[in-house]
Amino acid sequence: MSQEAQILTFIIVVSLISLGYAGWLASWVLKKDMGTPKMQEISNAIKEGAVAFLNRQYKTIISLAIVTAIIIFGIYYGVQNDAALAWKTGVAFIFGSFSSALAGYVGMHIAIRSNVRTAAASTRSLNEALKVSLRGGAVSGITIVAMSLLGISILFLLYGGLSNPTHVPYMLVGYGFGASFVALFAQLGGGIYTKAADVGADLVGKVEAGIPEDDPRNPAVIADLVGDNVGDCAGRGADLFESTAAENIGAMILGIALYQHFGLDGILFPLLARAFGLIAAMFGVLIVKTKEDGEPMQALNKGYYLTSILAAIGFYIATDLLLNGNIWFFYAGLVGIVTSILFVYITQYYTEYRYRPVKEIAESAKTGPATVIITGFAVALENTVLPAIVIGIALIMSYYFGLKGSALEMANNPAAGVIIGGGFFGTAIATMGMLSTSAYVLAMDTFGPITDNAGGIIEMSDQPEAIRKKTDKLDAVGNTTKALTKGYAVGSAALAAFLLFNAYLDDVGELMQKSKHFIGQTTQQIYALSHTINLADVHIFVAGLLGAMLVFIFSSLAIAAVGKAAYSVISDVRAQFKENPGIMKGTSKPDYGRTVDIVTKTALKKMVLPGILPILSPIVIGLIFREFGFGPQAVAGFIMVATIVGVLFAIVLNNGGGAWDNAKKYVETGALGGKGSDAHKAAVVGDTVGDPFKDTAGPSLHVLIKLLATVTLVMAPLFL
Amino acid sequence: MSQEAQILTFIIVVSLISLGYAGWLASWVLKKDMGTPKMQEISNAIKEGAVAFLNRQYKTIISLAIVTAIIIFGIYYGVQNDAALAWKTGVAFIFGSFSSALAGYVGMHIAIRSNVRTAAASTRSLNEALKVSLRGGAVSGITIVAMSLLGISILFLLYGGLSNPTHVPYMLVGYGFGASFVALFAQLGGGIYTKAADVGADLVGKVEAGIPEDDPRNPAVIADLVGDNVGDCAGRGADLFESTAAENIGAMILGIALYQHFGLDGILFPLLARAFGLIAAMFGVLIVKTKEDGEPMQALNKGYYLTSILAAIGFYIATDLLLNGNIWFFYAGLVGIVTSILFVYITQYYTEYRYRPVKEIAESAKTGPATVIITGFAVALENTVLPAIVIGIALIMSYYFGLKGSALEMANNPAAGVIIGGGFFGTAIATMGMLSTSAYVLAMDTFGPITDNAGGIIEMSDQPEAIRKKTDKLDAVGNTTKALTKGYAVGSAALAAFLLFNAYLDDVGELMQKSKHFIGQTTQQIYALSHTINLADVHIFVAGLLGAMLVFIFSSLAIAAVGKAAYSVISDVRAQFKENPGIMKGTSKPDYGRTVDIVTKTALKKMVLPGILPILSPIVIGLIFREFGFGPQAVAGFIMVATIVGVLFAIVLNNGGGAWDNAKKYVETGALGGKGSDAHKAAVVGDTVGDPFKDTAGPSLHVLIKLLATVTLVMAPLFL
């Protein structure tokens, strides 16, 4: 077995061990006690709703995916006239969609079983509750990352990557597109569901009927708890599944540029780095524990730092094994790891009420809801400054490290020839660095809905105050980790997108070399031609303008969908209160299932249009501008400007929403008059406005950014 | 006298005649009767406040302008080592600033005298009130456009344009920068003032004290009326002054590309087209009249259509005289005129309550303020679709018309050589077409604050119901025209910016040709080099990312400034109510001047940071990226992406704010429970949130877009 085959085997083995580890975590969690019958009853209601939603959602997604797979096959078969490539791309797409869906399913399967066990554990000790919830979340995190790694490794092997490594990565793009495809719908559908249920439950419960949050008399309360799972857990899981998948494939494509120097090793490097990241996360999860009066966030942070350090060490080993120990490439990876930590800090500053921004929003609640919105919106926009600067510095630094690393290789081995695109390989390595902790981050993220649910179960099953305090503590930490994950996801989306559209441009160059129109041009000339996206050209400028517009209309559709779906919840709850007056008196139970059913239907209906838009629009742009002779370049301009605007606008929406949420929580701590005051009422308006921003439109934009890149990678042959 | 000298003389004479015409309109208005002593008293208070604000604002702007002029001189003298150019650019800057300020001053001088005369006229007939207010507005519109034309023509003549036409346009860029400079501060300061007063007066008056709008007991009421003048009138006037100035200069620079074919004629063409536009507007204003029960909007539209038709005819004559009657260039101009009409229609659709978008927002008021904001924001984002498509089609069509026109010239006269950049000249002509009706549009815009003030004067001087109805009718029309002007301004800003950064790239090419680093390269090579802004390059991409970020942070600062200044108004009004309980009883008068004074101070303080930011940021970007060898290109990427995002985000803010405003007005017509209902209260929140969006941040973004282009044009020598 060649060294490369050994490494690929090692990667596959690590993926399988990780899946085994996730299985072990799952059985550890499932063995835990399930609490009182009352708790189980509530948990079962949540479980039922979540499973029903996921089943129906997957049904919709599968039918859309099959149509898309046929179209992809048709395009490759018709345009490229290459039956083998058509089959491979189509199958990769199906396989990618399927893996993403399966990973989401498994993660949620455990999450909706961890909630009640966390609730039960909290009656015993904080440490046990923390462990159950984090390990339940880690099943999701580890499974997702391991599945994505396994899928790509197997496809690479099956498609003959060991013998034809410079072409096979292009055949994998279908896998990335499949993953993004499912991710977009999962995030959109889940995001619409969760916020429609949340907003609807709040408006009709807290505002109209005057009952507290998670009150069992509210018919929308189960829908709200289901929403946490299908939105935060399944949605973000799919988001990061596709991040890691698409980024792996993109980085492999960029690695081709260094083939003369590293051979297959440069192409396998992303996979090995990811495998080490998985190992790091497994250790990180295990060390998390807390004392009864401890601070759970600190415990989680400890695990995060351990994971980061181990991932950095793994990175170093991978560089040593596969990239001739070139220190510059290791530095590029470090840039990514540092970027992820900076993003976590920036997100905290802008969304926690210990700091100025959220305090300012809360202060403005004194003059009513209008000023809360005005101030909050100003803060949300201000949010873009630091992330933009950090991303900018990270891209430029890793680019120059990539150039330096390439120069070093060329100096050491001049015979192997000139490296073109070594700078972009540097940015790809930074992206890998940033994503190397993704399994752990995802575990922290899924910890969020589990503890949120546990809190709801405790509340609804009338547990004593002391236990509620414990789950409240965990719930608050969960809110923070959810916000941090979004910051992490958007930062990595920015880097991943940059990597992906460079992969797209490489792909275009590859296609140009095959095309008869470019015969006689040197590799350098074709590279320059395919990698020049001249924004001063009127076609590219207009395409860019349309790309920016796409971000706005997509956000508009996502936000409007929540409004409409929430309205369906409100109508149903009002009808239930009217039909059955016993509900409010507490003498009869509301029909939770009916509300769950209605919000499921509306959310799935409303996810289709915003979901199809980003898939079709680059294709339409490509076909229109092909008529002017600018197909591939216009598409590139379109997705690049969309990426820039999408990343920043996602930050506006995510952190703005998070800040409003916490401004309300700040008032609820007793500041500015506390709960029930006019300031609180004003802050609640801000919180409600922020809901669809931070949990529907914002996170969906992360996926959109990467989907645009993967759809163009797959559709590239159409545009030439 | 050569034909060219005759044409330049004609242009100057037309500008002077226009100024004479404006003087005649002014004396016509000033001869009108000033109404009751009570009316005059209120009008005098507004006058005083407005003059005091403008004086102080100009003092701040002048000191900033002097510093800037010295810096410009220093840069040109130091970097380019060209004393003559340094003087000329510095003087042009001062002259541009001064002309812009003077035009704004004159316009406001008449506007604040037209309001009381409109009020008095409304006691006699609707027709007379319409005429007084439109003609008062037209003084502003005509003066502004004529001054900009006169200033550029004189400078062109003085700087030796007739003998050295291919270099002198570059010396005029200082004039455009001066105009943008003043415009940005005028729009920001005025915008912050007007909305701080409006929001403050509403929150403390309507919401807290429960007194109606324009109630004389509210100490902020005069500040609110002053605000309409300094924001809408002086602010937008400066905005369009700089649009016409910068666009003239930019179009002249692009005209240089066709010098081999058209000689001086191609460079004078923009000025002649503008002169015909002025003549068209003078006729348009004169024909506006209405019956007592007539619809004033229809009367204004009639004037607008006449102006458009005359402007189109003038365009044809100008093409015939100066561009060999090349029909393709005339078509490019038509594209601009049609674009302006489309923008007017789109703005109407999204901001009037006859149509779906505003109705949807109003409907959502039934479930409270949060859903009003969510739905409104979704609608605001949706707004970007049609404008982006229209701008895209306009740019590409006019570009191809420019290419076709150039091809025709080359075919007719092959000896004169190849035209490079003919397509961009096409887009420049489209921009001229769009701006050819600007004097009339500005008249309609200034009509807005005049009628708004007239309504306030009628309300405060206790006139009978029948008269109030008349001014209400005019006021409603004024709201529509204000919204339309913003749509028009942002559309023309998009086209003008595209033209301007192409002028910037020409400028860079011109500098490269002079530079010793590029000796031996052909004109074509240098053109290709200077006109390639490769977004796939990491430096340009990062610069673009920062450009998008600039738009968000600028909007954030503008919106936050309103919030803070409004808070100062609220505090003062509360203090006055407390210090003097007689105010609410109606036994003693509030101290209007004190509130005016406070909001003046805060607005001026708060305008400085957002004003300086867009001036400094392209310079900083240019200097940083010069270190990487990408100075001019990074700046171009920065301003291009900023333009794309700025245009779309301005539309979001303008139309979103307008839609919220009219959703409230729709409820006030009696829909959904009418005034005083919960839906109305929710709609008021939306209206208040929209205020700083539509009257501060949005319009300031128009100016920002063009300022970025003019500042880079002036600072280009720094970046190489």
Side-chain angles (χ1 to χ4, degrees):
Chain A
M1 202 149 80
S2 68
Q3 200 213 330
E4 281 78 18
Q6 283 173 15
I7 285 176
L8 197 56
T9 312
F10 173 76
I11 294 165
I12 292 174
V13 169
V14 170
S15 318
L16 292 172
I17 290 176
S18 306
L19 289 176
Y21 173 91
W24 169 73
L25 283 184
S27 77
W28 185 90
V29 169
L30 292 176
K31 263 185 232 141
K32 291 276 163 186
D33 121 78
M34 290 168 66
T36 66
K38 177 85 190 161
M39 287 182 185
Q40 291 178 32
E41 187 194 322
I42 300 159
S43 161
N44 283 334
I46 299 173
K47 214 183 312 181
E48 252 173 54
V51 171
F53 175 78
L54 222 61
N55 283 343
R56 262 207 252 178
Q57 188 186 34
Y58 281 172
K59 228 180 270 171
T60 313
I61 296 178
I62 285 170
S63 41
L64 290 168
I66 290 174
V67 174
T68 312
I70 294 171
I71 293 172
I72 293 173
F73 180 84
I75 287 172
Y76 273 76
Y77 193 72
V79 178
Q80 293 230 305
N81 212 356
D82 184 338
L85 187 62
W87 271 114
K88 282 179 178 168
T89 309
V91 167
F93 173 81
I94 295 278
F95 190 44
S97 319
F98 177 76
S99 310
S100 171
L102 183 65
Y105 206 91
V106 170
M108 239 213 24
H109 183 85
I110 301 304
I112 53 182
R113 283 164 178 81
S114 308
N115 52 15
V116 67
R117 289 167 174 86
T118 302
S122 68
T123 62
R124 293 185 295 273
S125 85
L126 183 67
N127 183 39
E128 198 184 329
L130 173 68
K131 277 189 170 172
V132 172
S133 48
L134 180 68
R135 291 180 179 195
V139 174
S140 201
I142 305 258
T143 305
I144 282 168
V145 178
M147 286 279 291
S148 108
L149 185 59
L150 187 65
I152 291 172
S153 308
I154 289 178
L155 271 186
F156 185 74
L157 201 63
L158 286 182
Y159 286 0
L162 288 176
S163 52
N164 191 11
T166 57
H167 286 92
V168 169
Y170 291 110
M171 297 176 187
L172 303 182
V173 294
Y175 188 85
F177 179 37
S180 326
F181 186 91
V182 171
L184 185 67
F185 285 104
Q187 181 66 68
L188 267 174
I192 296 170
Y193 185 109
T194 178
K195 287 304 121 173
D198 188 1
V199 170
D202 279 5
L203 285 179
V204 81
K206 281 197 235 173
V207 183
E208 277 188 26
I211 51 180
E213 195 163 341
D214 288 340
D215 191 293
R217 285 171 296 176
N218 190 337
V221 69
I222 295 290
D224 188 8
L225 291 168
V226 169
D228 294 327
N229 292 295
V230 301
D232 290 326
C233 172
R236 190 107 53 260
D239 177 359
L240 283 168
F241 179 91
E242 80 103 340
S243 269
T244 56
E247 174 264 349
N248 272 340
I249 297 164
M252 289 167 89
I253 290 177
L254 294 183
I256 296 172
L258 295 89
Y259 187 70
Q260 307 282 68
H261 285 264
F262 295 128
L264 183 52
D265 286 1
I267 296 163
L268 287 181
F269 176 76
L271 303 181
L272 185 62
R274 167 74 12 99
F276 281 123
L278 264 172
I279 297 173
M282 289 193 264
F283 283 101
V285 169
L286 278 189
I287 68 147
V288 172
K289 61 168 184 265
T290 182
K291 289 188 195 131
E292 198 55 24
D293 56 348
E295 185 46 74
M297 192 66 221
Q298 279 173 10
L300 291 177
N301 275 338
K302 223 182 256 175
Y304 178 52
Y305 292 130
L306 178 70
T307 308
S308 299
I309 293 167
L310 291 179
I313 295 172
F315 229 91
Y316 186 82
I317 299 172
T319 317
D320 199 50
L321 279 174
L322 297 180
L323 302 181
N324 297 344
N326 192 318
I327 196 75
W328 295 108
F329 293 131
F330 172 65
Y331 289 159
L334 277 190
V335 167
I337 295 176
V338 172
T339 303
S340 77
I341 295 173
L342 287 177
F343 258 81
V344 164
Y345 274 106
I346 295 170
T347 311
Q348 276 185 302
Y349 175 72
Y350 273 104
T351 54
E352 287 193 5
Y353 58 66
R354 286 181 290 159
Y355 305 104
R356 174 195 60 85
V358 173
K359 276 199 181 137
E360 248 178 47
I361 298 175
E363 279 291 324
S364 69
K366 286 193 290 189
T367 37
T371 43
V372 168
I373 303 294
I374 292 175
T375 312
F377 199 66
V379 165
L381 292 170
E382 185 195 318
N383 254 295
T384 53
V385 176
L386 293 175
I389 292 172
V390 169
I391 294 171
I393 293 175
L395 281 177
I396 288 184
M397 277 182 77
S398 56
Y399 182 83
Y400 277 93
F401 288 153
L403 286 184
K404 287 248 183 200
S406 305
L408 185 64
E409 289 308 317
M410 289 190 283
N412 287 341
N413 184 9
V418 177
I419 297 173
I420 317 175
F424 293 119
F425 189 60
T427 64
I429 296 181
T431 314
M432 290 177 230
M434 181 142 190
L435 282 167
S436 62
T437 52
S438 56
Y440 187 86
V441 173
L442 254 174
M444 286 209 294
D445 184 55
T446 310
F447 166 88
I450 293 175
T451 53
D452 189 327
N453 268 218
I457 292 170
I458 291 289
E459 172 82 31
M460 289 178 72
S461 60
D462 300 313
Q463 294 294 315
E465 184 71 18
I467 298 186
R468 270 192 224 181
K469 278 226 167 124
K470 268 189 249 177
T471 53
D472 278 357
K473 204 169 183 180
L474 288 176
D475 191 14
V477 172
N479 276 330
T480 306
T481 60
K482 276 191 282 184
L484 300 186
T485 317
K486 273 179 262 177
Y488 175 85
V490 74
S492 60
L495 293 188
F498 188 75
L499 168 171
L500 284 170
F501 46 65
N502 278 297
Y504 164 74
L505 298 179
D506 281 4
D507 193 11
V508 170
E510 169 96 357
L511 289 169
M512 280 179 170
Q513 256 170 342
K514 283 191 213 154
S515 157
K516 59 182 186 297
H517 298 294
F518 300 94
I519 285 173
Q521 305 228 17
T522 66
T523 310
Q524 257 102 334
Q525 280 172 328
I526 287 188
Y527 186 87
L529 209 61
S530 58
H531 284 70
T532 300
I533 306 304
N534 184 9
L535 195 54
D537 182 279
V538 71
H539 308 90
I540 315 295
F541 183 79
V542 168
L545 178 71
L546 297 173
M549 179 265 270
L550 173 70
V551 171
F552 292 129
I553 181 65
F554 177 82
S555 307
S556 166
L557 289 170
I559 294 171
V562 173
K564 275 170 196 152
Y567 195 74
S568 73
V569 174
I570 294 173
S571 306
D572 179 61
V573 172
R574 280 182 187 157
Q576 289 208 28
F577 282 152
K578 207 170 157 191
E579 288 160 20
N580 184 354
I583 296 177
M584 275 301 281
K585 289 182 208 136
T587 54
S588 64
K589 265 180 53 178
D591 186 349
Y592 300 124
R594 193 173 111 181
T595 318
V596 167
D597 207 52
I598 283 173
V599 63
T600 300
K601 270 189 209 149
T602 331
L604 292 180
K605 217 175 81 189
K606 292 283 166 199
M607 82 179 178
V608 176
L609 182 59
I612 286 179
L613 191 68
I615 297 169
L616 283 187
S617 55
I619 301 175
V620 171
I621 295 285
L623 293 178
I624 290 177
F625 283 92
R626 194 177 69 171
E627 298 303 308
F628 295 98
F630 285 88
Q633 295 88 341
V635 169
F638 178 77
I639 65 173
M640 284 174 180
V641 176
T643 299
I644 288 176
V645 180
V647 166
L648 296 182
F649 204 56
I651 294 171
V652 169
L653 297 172
N654 287 344
N655 293 4
W660 270 314
D661 187 352
N662 283 331
K664 182 199 70 176
K665 294 217 167 83
Y666 179 63
V667 176
E668 286 175 354
T669 63
L672 306 161
K675 263 192 178 180
S677 65
D678 279 347
H680 184 242
K681 273 181 207 144
V684 167
V685 171
D687 178 39
T688 310
V689 169
D691 273 339
F693 285 21
K694 74 176 197 296
D695 289 320
T696 313
S700 300
L701 278 176
H702 313 164
V703 189
L704 169 119
I705 292 163
K706 290 164 290 169
L707 180 109
L708 285 176
T710 55
V711 66
T712 48
L713 257 169
V714 170
M715 299 297 176
L718 268 185
F719 310 144
L720 265 165
Chain B
M1 200 149 81
S2 69
Q3 200 213 331
E4 280 77 19
Q6 282 173 16
I7 285 176
L8 197 56
T9 312
F10 172 76
I11 294 165
I12 291 174
V13 168
V14 170
S15 316
L16 292 172
I17 289 176
S18 305
L19 289 176
Y21 173 90
W24 170 74
L25 283 184
S27 77
W28 184 89
V29 169
L30 292 177
K31 262 186 233 143
K32 291 277 164 184
D33 122 76
M34 289 170 65
T36 66
K38 177 83 188 159
M39 287 182 184
Q40 291 177 32
E41 186 194 323
I42 302 159
S43 161
N44 283 334
I46 299 172
K47 215 183 311 181
E48 252 173 53
V51 171
F53 175 78
L54 223 60
N55 284 342
R56 263 208 251 177
Q57 188 185 35
Y58 281 170
K59 229 180 267 169
T60 313
I61 295 178
I62 285 170
S63 41
L64 290 168
I66 290 173
V67 174
T68 312
I70 293 170
I71 293 173
I72 292 173
F73 179 84
I75 286 173
Y76 272 77
Y77 194 72
V79 177
Q80 293 230 306
N81 212 356
D82 185 339
L85 188 61
W87 272 115
K88 281 179 178 168
T89 308
V91 166
F93 174 81
I94 295 276
F95 189 45
S97 318
F98 176 78
S99 310
S100 171
L102 184 64
Y105 205 91
V106 170
M108 240 211 24
H109 183 86
I110 299 304
I112 54 182
R113 283 164 177 80
S114 308
N115 52 15
V116 66
R117 289 168 175 85
T118 302
S122 69
T123 62
R124 292 185 297 274
S125 86
L126 182 67
N127 183 39
E128 197 183 330
L130 173 69
K131 277 188 170 173
V132 173
S133 48
L134 180 68
R135 291 180 178 193
V139 174
S140 201
I142 305 260
T143 305
I144 282 168
V145 178
M147 286 279 291
S148 109
L149 185 58
L150 187 65
I152 292 172
S153 308
I154 289 178
L155 271 186
F156 184 75
L157 202 61
L158 286 181
Y159 285 1
L162 288 176
S163 53
N164 191 10
T166 59
H167 287 92
V168 170
Y170 290 108
M171 298 175 185
L172 304 182
V173 295
Y175 187 85
F177 179 37
S180 325
F181 187 91
V182 171
L184 185 67
F185 285 104
Q187 180 68 65
L188 267 174
I192 296 170
Y193 185 108
T194 179
K195 287 303 121 174
D198 188 0
V199 170
D202 278 5
L203 285 179
V204 82
K206 281 196 235 174
V207 182
E208 278 186 28
I211 51 180
E213 195 164 337
D214 289 340
D215 190 294
R217 286 171 297 175
N218 190 336
V221 68
I222 294 290
D224 188 10
L225 290 168
V226 169
D228 293 328
N229 291 295
V230 300
D232 289 327
C233 172
R236 190 106 54 260
D239 177 0
L240 283 167
F241 179 90
E242 81 103 342
S243 269
T244 57
E247 174 263 350
N248 271 341
I249 298 163
M252 288 166 89
I253 290 177
L254 293 183
I256 297 172
L258 295 89
Y259 186 69
Q260 306 282 68
H261 286 266
F262 295 130
L264 183 52
D265 287 0
I267 296 163
L268 287 182
F269 177 76
L271 303 181
L272 185 62
R274 170 69 18 93
F276 282 123
L278 264 173
I279 297 173
M282 290 194 264
F283 282 102
V285 169
L286 279 189
I287 68 147
V288 172
K289 61 168 186 265
T290 182
K291 291 190 193 127
E292 198 56 25
D293 57 350
E295 187 46 75
M297 192 65 220
Q298 279 174 10
L300 290 177
N301 275 338
K302 223 183 256 174
Y304 178 52
Y305 291 131
L306 178 70
T307 308
S308 299
I309 292 167
L310 291 179
I313 294 172
F315 229 90
Y316 186 82
I317 299 172
T319 317
D320 199 49
L321 279 174
L322 298 180
L323 303 181
N324 297 345
N326 191 319
I327 196 77
W328 294 107
F329 292 131
F330 172 66
Y331 288 159
L334 277 190
V335 166
I337 295 175
V338 172
T339 303
S340 76
I341 295 173
L342 287 177
F343 258 80
V344 165
Y345 273 105
I346 295 169
T347 311
Q348 275 185 303
Y349 175 71
Y350 273 103
T351 55
E352 288 192 4
Y353 59 66
R354 284 179 292 158
Y355 305 104
R356 174 195 61 85
V358 174
K359 277 200 180 137
E360 248 178 47
I361 299 175
E363 279 290 324
S364 69
K366 286 193 289 188
T367 38
T371 42
V372 168
I373 303 295
I374 292 175
T375 313
F377 198 65
V379 165
L381 292 170
E382 184 194 319
N383 253 296
T384 52
V385 176
L386 292 175
I389 293 173
V390 169
I391 293 171
I393 293 176
L395 281 177
I396 289 185
M397 276 183 76
S398 56
Y399 182 83
Y400 278 94
F401 287 153
L403 285 184
K404 288 248 182 197
S406 305
L408 186 64
E409 289 308 317
M410 289 190 281
N412 286 341
N413 185 8
V418 177
I419 298 173
I420 316 176
F424 293 120
F425 188 61
T427 65
I429 296 181
T431 315
M432 292 176 227
M434 181 142 190
L435 282 167
S436 61
T437 52
S438 57
Y440 186 86
V441 172
L442 256 175
M444 285 209 294
D445 185 56
T446 310
F447 166 88
I450 293 174
T451 53
D452 190 329
N453 269 219
I457 292 170
I458 290 289
E459 174 81 30
M460 290 179 71
S461 60
D462 300 314
Q463 294 293 316
E465 184 69 20
I467 298 184
R468 271 193 222 180
K469 278 229 167 121
K470 267 189 246 176
T471 54
D472 279 357
K473 203 170 182 177
L474 289 176
D475 191 13
V477 171
N479 275 330
T480 307
T481 60
K482 277 192 281 184
L484 300 187
T485 318
K486 273 179 263 178
Y488 175 85
V490 74
S492 60
L495 294 187
F498 188 76
L499 168 171
L500 284 170
F501 46 64
N502 278 297
Y504 163 74
L505 298 179
D506 280 4
D507 193 11
V508 170
E510 170 96 358
L511 290 168
M512 281 179 169
Q513 256 171 342
K514 282 191 213 153
S515 156
K516 59 182 185 300
H517 297 294
F518 299 93
I519 285 172
Q521 305 229 17
T522 65
T523 310
Q524 257 104 334
Q525 279 171 330
I526 287 189
Y527 185 87
L529 209 61
S530 57
H531 284 69
T532 299
I533 306 304
N534 185 10
L535 194 56
D537 182 280
V538 71
H539 306 91
I540 315 294
F541 183 79
V542 169
L545 179 71
L546 297 173
M549 180 265 271
L550 173 70
V551 171
F552 292 129
I553 180 65
F554 177 82
S555 307
S556 166
L557 289 171
I559 293 170
V562 173
K564 275 169 197 154
Y567 195 75
S568 72
V569 173
I570 294 173
S571 306
D572 179 63
V573 172
R574 281 182 186 156
Q576 288 208 30
F577 281 151
K578 208 170 157 190
E579 288 160 21
N580 184 354
I583 295 176
M584 274 303 280
K585 290 182 207 136
T587 54
S588 64
K589 264 180 56 178
D591 186 349
Y592 301 124
R594 194 172 110 181
T595 318
V596 167
D597 208 50
I598 284 174
V599 63
T600 298
K601 270 189 209 147
T602 330
L604 292 181
K605 216 175 79 189
K606 291 283 166 199
M607 82 178 179
V608 176
L609 181 59
I612 286 178
L613 191 68
I615 297 169
L616 283 187
S617 55
I619 301 176
V620 171
I621 295 285
L623 293 178
I624 291 178
F625 283 92
R626 194 177 68 170
E627 297 304 307
F628 294 97
F630 286 89
Q633 294 87 342
V635 169
F638 178 78
I639 63 172
M640 284 174 182
V641 176
T643 299
I644 288 176
V645 180
V647 165
L648 296 183
F649 205 55
I651 293 172
V652 169
L653 297 172
N654 287 344
N655 292 3
W660 270 314
D661 186 352
N662 283 330
K664 183 198 69 176
K665 293 217 168 87
Y666 178 63
V667 176
E668 287 176 353
T669 63
L672 305 162
K675 264 193 178 179
S677 64
D678 279 346
H680 184 242
K681 273 182 207 142
V684 167
V685 172
D687 178 39
T688 310
V689 169
D691 272 339
F693 286 20
K694 75 177 197 293
D695 289 319
T696 313
S700 300
L701 278 177
H702 313 163
V703 189
L704 168 117
I705 291 163
K706 288 165 288 167
L707 180 108
L708 285 176
T710 55
V711 67
T712 47
L713 257 169
V714 170
M715 299 297 175
L718 268 183
F719 309 143
L720 262 167

